[in-house]
């Protein structure tokens, strides 16, 4: 049992996750919370090195299983060395992507199995689950327009990103954990306000 509060922000490429993670961090800091903003894959020295491999566009022969295990390995390090310690000292942790991204990308879109990937993540993190998950929903067409990078995940096919999008929606509608789905096509201040309201509610009701 930790005293902090763990928030995951999920969604496809260009959904506005990083934008909203920063706005939410500023908002919570202004309320006096210690806020740790982090991202996946990455967040720690080891996990950032794994990120470099995972997102390297020059690698075009990575088996889906390797990909899933590397994401899980990065998450294991991130959970043990950054997220859990921050929560134990009472911080609010805002994580740009977490388990649901693995479930959507590797479990559904890569076809490895959503239950299997969920179990792998749970095992890798010793069951460190978010207290609250924000899913930012953006259609694949908008997502493609907003995409800036050319990393190995972003350059996957439109069909792949469509599967990811469908999977995120399925996860959001079937989730029995604390969860909010946000329409990511609205303007960023609007979205930020919806998110802070939802987070305040979730932190109160915990
Ligand atoms: N609500 C929004 N409406 C329009 N464009 C947005 C919105 N939020 C973010 N963007 C823009 O879309 C791009 C991707 O945003 P970003 O926050 O980096 O997404 P993600 O981290 O989910 O990939 C950036 O250029 C950003 O400025
Ligand atoms: Mg981002």
């Amino acid at each position: 049992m930790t005293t902090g509060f763990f928030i995951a922000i999920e969604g496809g490429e260009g959904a506005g996750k990083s934008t909203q993670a920063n706005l939410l961090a500023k908002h919570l800091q202004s309320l006096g919370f210690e806020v740790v903003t982090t991202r996946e894959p990455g967040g720690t020295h080891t996990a950032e090195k794994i990120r470099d491999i995972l997102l390297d566009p020059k690698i075009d022969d990575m088996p889906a299983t390797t990909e899933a295990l590397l994401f899980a390995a990065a998450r294991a390090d991130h959970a043990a060395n950054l997220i859990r310690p921050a929560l134990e000292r009472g911080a609010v942790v805002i994580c740009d992507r977490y388990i649901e991204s693995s479930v959507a990308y590797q479990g559904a879109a890569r076809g490895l199995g959503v239950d299997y990937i969920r179990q792998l993540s749970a095992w890798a993190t010793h069951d460190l689950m978010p207290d609250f998950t924000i899913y930012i929903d953006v259609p694949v067409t908008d997502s493609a327009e907003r995409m800036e990078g050319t990393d190995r995940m972003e350059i996957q096919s439109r069909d792949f990103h469509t599967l990811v999008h469908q999977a995120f929606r399925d996860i959001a509608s079937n989730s029995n954990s604390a969860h909010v789905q946000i329409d990511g096509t609205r303007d960023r201040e609007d979205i930020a306000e919806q998110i802070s309201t939802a987070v305040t509610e979730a932190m109160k009701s915990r």
Side-chain angles (χ1 to χ4, degrees):
M1 183 67 200
T2 58
T3 55
F5 196 80
F6 181 16
I7 300 164
I9 303 189
E10 300 281 9
E13 315 295 333
K17 300 179 299 298
S18 305
T19 303
Q20 294 302 327
N22 289 328
L23 293 172
L24 179 61
K26 284 199 188 104
H27 171 70
L28 292 171
Q29 272 155 0
S30 76
L31 298 177
F33 291 99
E34 185 205 346
V35 179
V36 174
T37 310
T38 187
R39 68 170 182 186
E40 289 210 343
T44 58
H45 182 70
T46 300
E48 289 288 333
K49 289 193 163 194
I50 299 172
R51 178 188 179 95
D52 289 343
I53 300 170
L54 276 167
L55 300 186
D56 183 349
K58 293 194 294 297
I59 300 176
D60 63 1
D61 63 351
M62 190 186 291
T65 44
T66 301
E67 184 179 289
L69 290 165
L70 286 175
F71 273 108
R75 179 163 303 134
D77 192 78
H78 191 208
N81 288 327
L82 188 144
I83 303 175
R84 210 181 275 280
L87 294 172
E88 278 166 2
R89 58 169 199 271
V92 178
V93 175
I94 301 171
C95 192
D96 185 337
R97 294 194 182 279
Y98 196 61
I99 288 177
E100 290 186 4
S101 284
S102 297
V103 174
Y105 284 74
Q106 285 73 46
R110 295 281 193 226
L112 294 178
V114 295
D115 292 334
Y116 196 75
I117 294 298
R118 211 181 271 288
Q119 279 172 37
L120 178 66
S121 270
W123 176 77
T125 62
H126 300 284
D127 287 313
L128 183 64
M129 298 299 159
D131 295 299
F132 192 60
T133 299
I134 297 152
Y135 165 54
I136 306 177
D137 184 71
V138 162
V140 175
T141 43
D142 298 59
S143 171
E145 279 166 23
R146 288 190 199 172
M147 242 183 259
E148 288 160 334
T150 51
D151 73 43
R152 202 179 59 83
M153 300 310 295
E154 287 172 318
I155 63 174
Q156 298 294 314
S157 68
R158 178 66 73 100
D159 286 352
F160 178 81
H161 289 295
T162 303
L163 288 173
V164 168
H165 180 238
Q166 192 52 54
F168 270 126
R169 289 194 151 189
D170 291 346
I171 295 164
S173 57
N174 294 323
S175 175
N176 47 20
S177 59
H179 211 282
V180 68
Q181 177 169 332
I182 305 275
D183 176 0
T185 62
R186 305 179 61 169
D187 71 57
R188 53 201 95 187
E189 288 72 29
D190 239 41
I191 296 170
E193 206 173 296
Q194 279 184 53
I195 289 178
S196 17
T197 306
V199 166
T200 307
E201 237 359 84
M203 288 176 80
K204 260 194 263 167
S205 67
R206 187 176 76 149

